């Protein structure tokens, strides 16, 4: 029951469950509806993690592929949700709803009843039968053609995506499926986001969520790209929207359906509770971080970073991932940008550049590798390492929208130490975020504050670097499970506990403003390094030197021959 006077629930305490599907695991959190208190969390890693080298049967994958196994997502419901519920002490009958969020664009081909093609034994050795994870970048050629044709035809929807369509999105990945495995394309009855597939499995009803439809499916002003446009890409692609994609769209916070008996048995939750329309991990975090007014950008930092912000101003921001009316909050334009690699880059360096002597020293001090390198890097003055890096090990999502770009490190000498490189990589990701902010500001969309969510908030050095580089106060979400909290908040709305997500955010959201403040002296020092970053950024990223694309071509040739 909702008290409309103060928008807080009245009566006995009730609870909701939020489930956050990340890149390597899923997390479930049990949240009190009245105030957003998180009573318990449980995490379940995906058994198959990310398939980027081979399928489960050993079938080799080419470069730039990233697949997943959908049964791993069901295992999260079987394990993480009951575990979180048990830890919380909440009785199942006190839970009124469940909400989910997912990485995006993470898509899969299914039959009419929702069965993934990879679950059929006869297709288990076919890579295109599997889930294509958000970071599957092997459809870059298709994305380039989608963009080029839209430019040639002056398609009006292209400006809503900063002028470029990403290889990570629905149409590029579907076109790759058609052109590389046309038999599986024909067998595909529905091409859908994992965010919607998991809701389908929970409530038995397929509802396409407005967030992914707008940002990842090029759905603008009630329309998808036209049949004529799709036919010009490939005659066999003409019916993609009508045959495989188009479906009724549910708004964020709407009721998708009720928990089925099967899903109740998986989760330990009561049959018939509210199941919320699906959502994207980054976008669902904004209200959890109380970012419900214009000008507050939320950066959800994990393996990658997604930047989301709502505004009352519409603008064409170069290289943005998209702008969607109501894509984050009703009544406002929701903007998205991002960086394809952040935590992944730090993890890559630890795996490949952390010497045994450093590991021994870290163990003696009770630190893990990241903590040890951070502590050593924190002792340095800005610029002391003499390095500058480009944060493109996973390509560039914004503002260049080119996943064939790659990382760069300039300034190496025989005196360069692991902590030097590590700090340069931390700084490079901050420079990437500043590039995104400047693209928004110069387009007339002001960014007053940056709020950080995600696991990287625990690195105080990294947070201070971001404050200094961007010259903005950094707020921090007061939750270790921002996406799951946001999903739970939307579940509370779907269950009728709050009138809308803004009301839920006032009671359940949590963030601490101005935790890290920019230091003028450090900011000035970073301005000089940032100028060098932008020189490299434009030199390698805007066509002056195409060496990265040439190297990728040579790699592809060598891989084909081997």
């Amino acid at each position: 029951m909702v008290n409309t006077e103060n928008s807080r629930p009245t009566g006995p305490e009730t609870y909701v469950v939020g489930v956050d599907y990340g890149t390597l695991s899923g997390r479930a959190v049990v949240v009190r509806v009245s105030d957003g208190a998180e009573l318990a969390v449980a995490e379940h890693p995906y058994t198959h993690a990310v398939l980027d080298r081979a399928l489960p049967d050993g079938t080799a994958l080419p470069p730039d592929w990233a697949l997943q196994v959908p049964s791993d997502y069901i295992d999260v419901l079987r394990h993480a949700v009951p575990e979180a519920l048990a830890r919380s002490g909440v009785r199942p009958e006190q839970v009124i709803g469940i909400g989910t969020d997912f990485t995006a664009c993470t898509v899969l081909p299914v039959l009419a009843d929702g069965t993934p093609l990879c679950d059929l034994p006869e297709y288990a050795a076919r890579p295109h039968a599997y889930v294509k994870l958000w970071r599957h970048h092997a459809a870059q050629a298709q994305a380039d053609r989608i963009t080029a044709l839209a430019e040639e035809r002056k398609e009006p929807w292209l400006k809503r995506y900063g002028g470029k369509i990403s290889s990570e999105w629905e149409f590029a990945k579907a076109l790759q499926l058609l052109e590389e495995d046309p038999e599986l394309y024909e067998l595909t009855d529905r091409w859908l986001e994992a965010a919607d597939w998991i809701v389908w499995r929970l409530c038995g009803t397929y509802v396409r969520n407005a967030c992914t439809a707008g940002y990842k499916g090029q759905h603008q002003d009630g329309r998808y790209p036209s049949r004529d446009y799709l036919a010009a890409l490939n005659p066999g692609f003409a019916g993609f929207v009508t045959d495989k994609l188009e479906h009724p769209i549910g708004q964020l916070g709407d009721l998708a359906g009720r928990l089925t008996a099967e899903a109740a048995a998986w989760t330990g939750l009561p049959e018939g509770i509210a199941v919320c329309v699906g959502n994207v991990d980054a976008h669902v975090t904004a209200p959890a971080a109380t970012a419900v007014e214009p000008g507050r950008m939320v950066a959800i930092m994990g393996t990658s970073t997604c930047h989301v912000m709502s505004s009352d101003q519409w603008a064409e921001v170069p290289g943005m991932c998209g702008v969607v009316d109501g894509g984050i909050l009703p009544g406002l334009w929701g903007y998205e940008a991002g960086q394809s690699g952040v935590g992944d880059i730090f993890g890559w360096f630890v795996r490949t550049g952390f010497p045994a002597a450093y590991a021994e020293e870290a163990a003696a001090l009770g630190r893990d590798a990241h903590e040890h390198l951070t502590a050593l890097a924190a002792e340095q003055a800005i610029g002391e390492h003499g390095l500058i890096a480009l944060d493109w090990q996973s390509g560039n999502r914004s503002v260049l929208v080119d996943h064939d770009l790659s990382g760069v490190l300039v300034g190496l000498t025989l005196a360069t130490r692991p902590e030097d490189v590590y700090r340069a990589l931390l700084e490079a990701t901050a420079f990437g975020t500043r590039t995104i902010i400047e693209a928004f500001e110069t387009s007339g969309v002001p960014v007053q504050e940056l709020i950080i969510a995600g696991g990287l908030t625990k690195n105080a050095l990294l947070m201070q670097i971001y404050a200094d580089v961007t010259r903005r106060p950094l707020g921090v979400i007061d939750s270790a499970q921002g996406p799951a909290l946001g999903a739970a908040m939307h579940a509370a709305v779907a269950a009728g506990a709050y009138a809308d997500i803004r009301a839920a955010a006032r009671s359940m959201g949590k963030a601490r403003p101005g935790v890290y403040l920019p230091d003028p002296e450090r900011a000035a020092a970073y301005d000089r390094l940032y100028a060098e970053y932008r020189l490299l950024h434009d030199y390698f990223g805007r066509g002056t030197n195409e060496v990265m694309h040439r190297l990728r071509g040579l790699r592809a040739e060598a891989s084909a021959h081997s």
Side-chain angles (χ1 to χ4, degrees):
M1 180 178 179
V2 174
N3 179 341
T4 56
E5 187 173 324
N6 60 17
S7 296
R8 291 176 67 91
T10 58
E13 291 286 5
T14 55
Y15 302 86
V16 283
V17 174
V19 185
D20 168 39
Y21 284 93
T23 298
L24 295 173
S25 65
R27 293 157 292 279
V29 61
V30 179
V31 179
R32 190 161 57 213
V33 170
S34 61
D35 61 1
E38 298 169 36
L39 277 70
V41 64
E43 182 173 9
H44 185 73
Y46 303 147
T47 300
H48 301 90
V50 178
L51 308 177
D52 55 8
R53 295 185 179 274
L55 297 182
D57 69 352
T59 300
L61 294 171
D64 302 319
W65 280 64
L67 308 177
Q68 290 194 315
V69 178
S71 61
D72 289 349
Y73 307 148
I74 301 298
D75 287 344
V76 173
L77 300 177
R78 295 177 185 273
H79 297 281
V81 175
E83 186 176 339
L85 190 64
R87 290 177 181 176
S88 72
V90 170
R91 300 189 307 277
E93 61 269 21
Q94 293 177 283
V95 178
I96 62 172
I98 182 170
T100 57
D101 69 83
F102 233 102
T103 59
C105 171
T106 295
V107 284
L108 67 159
V110 302
L111 301 178
D113 64 357
T115 301
L117 296 190
C118 62
D119 283 356
L120 304 174
E122 59 268 38
Y123 305 123
R126 304 271 280 271
H128 281 289
Y130 287 78
V131 176
K132 287 185 172 67
L133 184 62
W134 65 267
R135 73 181 192 197
H136 174 89
H137 293 147
Q140 185 65 50
Q142 286 78 11
D144 292 342
R145 284 166 46 212
I146 289 170
T147 297
L149 182 63
E151 289 176 340
E152 178 185 324
R153 292 168 55 103
K154 296 181 170 52
E155 295 287 342
W157 45 262
L158 186 61
K159 63 185 178 182
R160 297 281 182 91
Y161 301 98
K164 282 192 176 182
I165 298 302
S166 171
S167 66
E168 295 181 356
W169 297 352
E170 289 179 0
F171 281 71
K173 288 173 174 173
L175 186 57
Q176 185 196 15
L177 167 61
L178 167 66
E179 295 179 340
E180 296 183 6
D181 198 334
E183 181 188 3
L184 285 188
Y185 180 84
E186 288 302 317
L187 286 168
T188 299
D189 291 313
R190 298 190 189 279
W191 179 253
L192 69 160
E193 289 275 351
D196 298 327
W197 183 79
I198 201 67
V199 169
W200 190 355
R201 295 307 307 268
L202 284 167
C203 69
T205 303
Y206 172 33
V207 179
R208 185 156 162 73
N209 77 85
C211 188
T212 53
Y215 290 101
K216 312 302 177 184
Q218 292 152 248
H219 184 265
Q220 294 283 353
D221 300 324
R223 297 183 300 277
Y224 292 97
S226 69
R227 185 181 185 91
D228 287 347
Y229 167 81
L230 298 177
L233 280 172
N234 184 312
F237 206 47
F240 171 63
V241 167
T242 53
D243 297 344
K244 304 181 189 298
L245 184 69
E246 200 166 36
H247 200 77
I249 293 175
Q251 298 303 309
L252 308 181
D254 280 359
L255 180 70
R258 300 284 176 180
L259 196 69
T260 65
E262 179 183 42
W266 293 338
T267 60
L269 299 175
E271 181 180 355
I273 65 170
V275 178
C276 185
V277 167
N279 210 324
V280 179
D281 49 4
H283 305 68
V284 80
T285 305
T290 69
V292 293
E293 305 91 15
R296 306 186 77 192
M297 177 178 280
V298 181
I300 300 88
M301 297 178 63
T303 54
S304 65
T305 292
C306 191
H307 305 78
V308 296
M309 186 178 71
S310 293
S311 177
D312 53 5
Q313 303 292 319
W314 180 89
E316 183 179 352
V317 180
M320 66 180 171
C321 299
V323 55
V324 176
D325 189 6
I328 300 171
L329 294 162
L332 293 174
W333 291 97
Y335 289 86
E336 177 192 346
Q339 294 165 264
S340 293
V342 178
D344 266 357
I345 296 175
F346 311 150
W348 159 80
F349 181 72
V350 163
R351 290 193 307 274
T352 60
F354 195 61
Y358 275 63
E360 293 170 4
E361 183 179 353
L365 294 170
R367 299 169 176 166
D368 66 24
H370 291 283
E371 290 169 340
H372 191 54
L373 288 173
T374 297
L376 295 175
E379 298 174 0
Q380 298 181 5
I382 294 169
E384 182 180 335
H385 51 51
L387 303 173
I388 195 75
L390 292 178
D391 50 319
W392 298 346
Q393 280 83 344
S394 289
N396 182 283
R397 184 185 296 165
S398 298
V399 297
L400 299 170
V401 198
D402 185 348
H403 293 289
D404 282 343
L405 296 174
S406 50
V408 169
L409 185 62
V410 174
L412 288 170
T413 73
L414 293 177
T416 300
R417 301 164 300 173
E419 59 266 35
D420 300 334
V421 177
Y422 191 77
R423 177 162 183 143
L425 295 174
L426 300 182
E427 292 166 344
T429 67
F431 296 148
T433 287
R434 177 168 168 176
T435 303
I436 289 167
I437 290 173
E438 289 182 353
F440 275 85
E441 294 253 300
T442 57
S443 301
V445 183
V447 180
Q448 280 99 23
E449 182 186 7
L450 198 56
I451 304 171
I452 308 297
L456 295 181
T457 56
K458 63 187 179 183
N459 188 319
L461 173 64
L462 181 64
M463 295 298 99
Q464 188 60 56
I465 288 172
Y466 270 64
D468 293 334
V469 166
T470 64
R471 289 182 173 267
R472 277 165 178 77
L474 251 63
V476 176
I477 190 171
D478 204 12
S479 168
Q481 304 297 334
L485 173 60
M489 290 165 58
H490 281 78
V493 174
Y498 290 96
D500 55 38
I501 192 60
R502 286 187 177 87
R506 285 193 289 271
S507 295
M508 300 178 72
K510 51 187 76 171
R512 290 172 288 140
V515 176
Y516 297 92
L517 301 176
D519 175 83
E521 185 176 338
R522 290 195 300 265
Y526 273 128
D527 284 345
R528 296 173 64 188
L529 280 178
Y530 178 66
E532 302 298 337
Y533 174 91
R534 286 306 302 261
L535 282 174
L536 292 175
H537 176 281
D538 293 347
Y539 179 71
F540 288 111
R542 298 194 184 277
T544 306
N545 189 332
E546 295 285 350
V547 61
M548 293 178 182
H549 296 114
R550 293 193 295 272
L551 289 173
R552 188 167 290 261
L554 290 169
R555 186 185 72 173
E557 290 176 19
S559 297
H561 289 136
S562 66

